[in-house]
Amino acid sequence: MRVFNIPYRLFILAVMLAAILGMVFWILVVNRPILEALEASGVQTQAEIVERSQPRRNWLARQTGAAGGVRVDIRYGFHTSDGEWIEDSLNKRGRYAKGLTVGRKFNVTYLPDQPEVFYSDLFKGYAGTSMAFALLALCAVISLVVFYLGYRMPNDWGGPKYRPVVSFGHTEWWDKT
């Protein structure tokens, strides 16, 4: 049932294309400079998992939009070269948290002037240029589909218009006198 004469496939794919292009923009403008700064002046150290909660079931996953199933809270931290303790926490699915035990060490690269900006081998990462190229390839495929669907549009389509969903023939039931 269509209330408006909008070509929904074309509309949804065009919105997806705009969202993916926004992601590419975010990667190239925000994440790439962070990765370049970490590569140029980052200091590498060891981080350690300091706390791991008991697995619990997320019963409100559908209402909150979170990933459901068994969840585990993990808290980890590392010392900077100045002796400052930087700590972060995250929530992982149970199957991904099996090998994450208290005391496990992993590599972390942080910025000396901003230690809260760090890259972790295990948890926190930033999408780089290769992810942007992969998303651009996806954009090319979606663009071809959008252009194909646009080409197949009727020539007399003048944009979205409201059209009544229900009609009762020549005389409407409420007009009977």
Side-chain angles (χ1 to χ4, degrees):
M1 174 172 74
R2 289 186 175 181
V3 177
F4 296 97
N5 67 342
I6 298 173
Y8 291 102
R9 288 180 294 191
L10 176 66
F11 180 71
I12 289 170
L13 285 173
V15 169
M16 282 177 49
L17 182 64
I20 293 171
L21 285 173
M23 290 179 216
V24 169
F25 180 75
W26 180 266
I27 289 170
L28 294 177
V29 172
V30 175
N31 285 352
R32 190 167 170 219
I34 292 172
L35 284 174
E36 289 173 353
L38 284 168
E39 195 173 299
S41 63
V43 177
Q44 196 170 51
T45 187
Q46 289 280 313
E48 181 179 357
I49 297 176
V50 293
E51 186 179 336
R52 182 183 194 271
S53 71
Q54 292 297 320
R56 60 176 166 65
R57 180 156 296 280
N58 186 3
W59 295 104
L60 298 175
R62 288 186 181 164
Q63 288 85 4
T64 61
V70 177
R71 307 293 294 183
V72 177
D73 293 322
I74 296 171
R75 198 165 50 95
Y76 61 97
F78 60 93
H79 287 286
T80 65
S81 57
D82 299 336
E84 182 182 357
W85 176 254
I86 303 295
E87 197 170 276
D88 200 7
S89 64
L90 58 110
N91 186 287
K92 285 286 208 186
R93 293 187 89 160
R95 65 177 173 213
Y96 298 122
K98 284 185 179 176
L100 304 176
T101 58
V102 174
R104 179 173 176 182
K105 295 188 183 293
F106 54 95
N107 292 328
V108 169
T109 305
Y110 68 93
L111 292 175
D113 53 339
Q114 290 180 302
E116 62 276 352
V117 176
F118 61 91
Y119 178 85
S120 156
D121 289 345
L122 200 54
F123 298 121
K124 190 175 185 177
Y126 296 99
T129 310
S130 58
M131 178 60 77
F133 285 137
L135 288 174
L136 283 175
L138 181 63
C139 282
V141 171
I142 292 175
S143 297
L144 289 174
V145 174
V146 165
F147 285 125
Y148 174 74
L149 289 173
Y151 177 75
R152 291 194 54 212
M153 290 287 294
N155 290 334
D156 60 345
W157 188 73
K161 294 179 200 70
Y162 176 73
R163 68 176 182 208
V165 179
V166 180
S167 74
F168 295 101
H170 296 290
T171 57
E172 305 297 339
W173 61 275
W174 60 81
D175 282 344
K176 293 183 181 180
T177 55

